[in-house]
Amino acid sequence: MKSKTNQVIIIYILISMFVAIVSHKLLLQYISNEKIPLYTFTRDILFILFTGIIFKLILSKNDNRNISTFEKIKNSNNEIKESNEKYDIVAKATSDTIWDWKIEDDNFSWNKGIENVFGYKQEEVGENSTWWFDKIHPEDSIKMSIKLYSFIEQKTEKWQDQYRFRCSDNSYKYVLDRGFLLKDENGKAIRMIGAIQDITKQKEEEQRLKLLETVITQSKDSIIITEADSIDAKIPNIIYVNPAFSIMSGYESVEIIGKSPDLFNSPNSDVSELEKLLKAIKNKEECLIETISYTKNKDEYWVRLSMIPIYNADNELSHWISIQRDITEEKKQEKEKEQLIRELTQNNKDLKQFSYITSHNLRAPLSNLTGLLNLIEDITIEDQELKEILSGFNKSTHQLNDTINDLVKVIIIKDNPSIKKEAVLIKEIFENVFSQLNFQIELYKPIIKLNFEKISVINTNKAYIESILLNLLTNSIKYKSENRKLKITITTEEIDDTVVLIFKDNGIGIDLVRNRDKVFGLYQRFHNYPDSKGLGLYLVKSQVETMGGTIGIESEVNKGTTFTLTFKNKQ
Amino acid sequence: MLDQILCIDDDPITLMLCKKVIVKSSFSNEIITSQNGEEALSYFNTIKHTNNQNKPIPQPQLIFLDLNMPVMGGWEFLDYFNSEEFSEFNSIKVVVLSSTIDPEDLEKSKQYPMVIDFLSKPISQSMLEYLKNKLK
C-alpha cells in the first residue's frame, strides 16, 4: 500500500521531470537568452519537487487512516468468525433444544434438537407458540404459562421451568426450559430465546430415590446411619436418624447427629450383647442384638438392633446402617407366654400328680374290698338273702374295679406322649390277640380274613397295638348282627410313607349321621349293652394318637363298620 | 413256710386282710405289723439293742411295704433301711405292695437292691403262691 503511494509519487516526479527537461531543451533551441531558461528550468524542478512532497504528505496521511480502518474491519471480522465457530461448537455439543420466539409476530423456530430429542420432523414442527404450548402436559401447562407470561411482562427476573413435553410418539419427557428476553429500545420484550434440556432420566432417578427414601422416612423401624470409624471403642457417631427413631427414642435428629449411640445404653442393658456389638464393629461384621435402651426421658425399652457395615465402590467401609425395632411389647408377651407355659406345666404336673394320688386313693380301699370279697368266696353262707346281697356287692365291686383300671390305663397313656416303638410282626400280634379272645372266638366262630401280604411288619408299640386290636375285635364280637354270621376282614397296605390297617366287620354298625362327633369320645355308648362302658374306642384313639397315627371310621347301621388306622412307618 | 414277716401299712383293713390271707395260705408262722416306716425302723432298732444283750430275737424274713403312709412313707423307710445303720438286716427282702399306678414308682423301686418285687394290691393267695416260688 505504502509502496504504491511512493510509486505514484515517483512516477509523477519522473514524468514531471521528463516534461520539464523536454520543455527546457525545446526552449533552448528557440530562445538564445541564456539566463532565462535556466531560471525557469530551476523553478519548474523546484515546483515539481514541492508538489511531490505535498502529494507524499497527503497520500501517506490517507494511507494511515485506511490502514486503521482496515485493521478494525479485520478484527471485527475475526470476532464474528470466532463467535460463529464457538456457537457451532456449542450447538453441536449441547443436547439442548434451542427455540427462538419473535413475540410480536408469534414466529417460533426450533433447532435440530426438536427432531433429535423429541422426534418431530422439520415439516411437523409448527411455526408459532401455540404448537409449543400444545405439547406441554395438561397438568403442567397452566402453571407453566403463568410463570412464562409474568416473565414476559417482566414481573419476574428470571425464567426457568420444569414441565413435561410431549414427544412425537405421544410419550412425555421431563424438561428443564431456560430462557432470556431480548428487548427493544423502549424496553419492550420482542424476542425470547430458550433452551430445553431433557431431564427425564434425572427426574426418573429423582423419583426412584424419593420412592426409596420413603422406605427410610416412613418406616416404622428406626434407621440410623453412622460414620465408618469408631472413636474410643464406642459405637461410631450418628450421621442420620429417621423419623421413626425420633418417635422411639425421643431424640430429635438435630440433638443426636454427631453423637455416639452409646448414650442410649441403660444400666439394665445386656452387657454381653453390647460387647458382641462392639466386637462386630471392630471386626467390621454384621450383627444382631437385643437389649434394653434408654429414651431421652430415661425410660427403658427393649430394642432389637442390627448393625450392617456398608462398603463403597472401592470396597472400603463407608458407614454403618443400624435398623432398630422396639420389641418391648414383644418381650412382655414373651415373658407372659413363658410365665403362662410355666404355670400350665406346673398345673399339668399337679393335675397328673393329683390323678395318680386320686386313683391311688380310690384303688387302695377298692383293693381291700376285692381282697375281702376274695376271702368271703371261701366261706359257705347259709343265709340265702345274705348270699344275694354279697353277690350284688361282689358284682358292683368288680365293675368299679374295672372302671378304675380303665381310667388308670387312660391316665398312663395320656402321660406318656413319647413311647418306645419297635418293628413288630403283624401276624404275631394277631396270634396274641386271638389267644386272649379264644373263648369268644370258639363260641361265635366268626369268619376272620387276614391279608398281610403287602405289609407284614409294622413299626409300633407292641402293647398298644395289641390293646387296640383287642378292643376292636371285642367290639366286633360284642356288636355283631344276630341275623348273619360275623365276618371280619383285616388288611394292611402301604400308602406313601404310611402303613394303613383296615379293620372291617359286618356288625350292627353305628349311626354316624347322629354320632360322628362322639364315636371316639370318653363314655360314649351307642348301644344299650350291659357290659359296655363307652371307653374302648376312646382308649383305641388315644393309643393310636400316642403312637403318632390316626384313626377313621365309616359305618352304616346294620351293614357294618370299617376302621382305618394309619401309622407312619418311619421314625 | 416263713417264720416271721413284717407288714408295713397305715390302713388297718389292709393289715387285717394281709393277716387273714397269709394265715390262709400258710405263708408265715408269725405276722407282725407296723403302721408306718418310722414304727418299723424303731422295731428294727429294738431288735438291734436286744441282740446286744445276747437274747436273740427272731428277725422277719420278708417285709410287705406300702408306699403312701403318714409320718414316714415307704421310700423314706427304704432309704434308712438301705443305710449303714441297718446293714445287719440287709438280707431281709422287701416286696412293695401298693395301689400306686405311677409308672415312675416301679422304676424307682428298682434302685433298691432289697426290693425283690413290686406288686399291686390286694394281696391274694395266688400272689403268695407266686412269692413262695420266687423265694425258693
Side-chain angles (χ1 to χ4, degrees), chain A residues 359-360 363-364 367-368 378 408, chain B residues 11 14 24 68 99 101 120 122:
Chain A
S359 68
H360 172 267
R363 277 168 54 85
S367 63
N368 281 345
D378 296 341
V408 164
Chain B
D11 180 15
T14 307
K24 220 164 186 171
N68 294 292
S99 14
I101 55 142
S120 207

Side-chain angles (χ1 to χ4, degrees), chain A residues 526-537:
Chain A
F526 309 100
H527 306 285
N528 190 18
Y529 279 39
D531 54 350
S532 122
K533 290 181 300 231
L535 201 77
L537 287 181

Side-chain angles (χ1 to χ4, degrees), chain A residues 42-88:
Chain A
T42 313
R43 194 195 62 193
D44 283 348
I45 296 295
L46 285 173
F47 178 75
I48 289 164
L49 286 175
F50 178 72
T51 49
I53 289 162
I54 299 282
F55 262 148
K56 165 76 182 164
L57 279 173
I58 291 165
L59 277 180
S60 63
K61 202 177 172 189
N62 231 0
D63 251 4
N64 283 342
R65 211 171 57 218
N66 278 350
I67 287 166
S68 74
T69 314
F70 175 75
E71 283 296 321
K72 262 188 207 157
I73 289 167
K74 197 181 164 189
N75 281 347
S76 71
N77 247 356
N78 280 342
E79 269 170 30
I80 288 166
K81 212 172 151 193
E82 203 179 330
S83 114
N84 261 348
E85 271 170 11
K86 274 186 188 161
Y87 174 81
D88 273 352

Side-chain angles (χ1 to χ4, degrees), chain A residues 141-263:
Chain A
S141 66
I142 292 171
K143 201 185 79 193
M144 184 270 181
S145 45
I146 289 169
K147 276 173 93 174
L148 180 68
Y149 279 106
S150 80
F151 176 66
I152 292 170
E153 286 160 23
Q154 298 173 45
K155 286 175 187 156
T156 44
E157 287 285 302
K158 276 184 177 174
W159 181 77
Q160 75 168 48
D161 205 356
Q162 290 185 10
Y163 54 85
R164 279 164 285 178
F165 192 85
R166 193 167 76 229
C167 303
S168 65
D169 62 0
N170 283 331
S171 68
Y172 280 93
K173 281 193 159 142
Y174 280 94
V175 298
L176 172 68
D177 201 347
R178 281 169 293 192
F180 61 92
L181 279 177
L182 297 175
K183 298 164 198 169
D184 63 6
E185 56 269 33
N186 302 322
K188 196 181 165 220
I190 50 164
R191 199 170 159 193
M192 187 173 176
I193 295 171
I196 296 178
Q197 190 187 347
D198 179 5
I199 54 163
T200 310
K201 274 204 179 120
Q202 291 97 305
K203 203 77 188 172
E204 277 171 0
E205 181 65 11
E206 194 180 296
Q207 281 175 345
R208 198 179 70 91
L209 287 176
K210 242 182 207 160
L211 183 69
L212 290 181
E213 195 186 354
T214 55
V215 175
I216 297 170
T217 55
Q218 304 298 311
S219 164
K220 298 281 177 227
D221 287 347
S222 296
I223 297 169
I224 294 180
I225 304 174
T226 77
E227 290 170 356
D229 302 316
S230 60
I231 305 159
D232 303 335
K234 282 181 175 176
I235 306 168
N237 288 347
I238 297 172
I239 53 178
Y240 173 82
V241 298
N242 74 339
F245 178 79
S246 297
I247 293 166
M248 186 174 88
S249 69
Y251 288 103
E252 292 302 322
S253 75
V254 284
E255 301 173 274
I256 204 74
I257 283 171
K259 293 180 180 148
S260 165
D262 274 16
L263 67 107

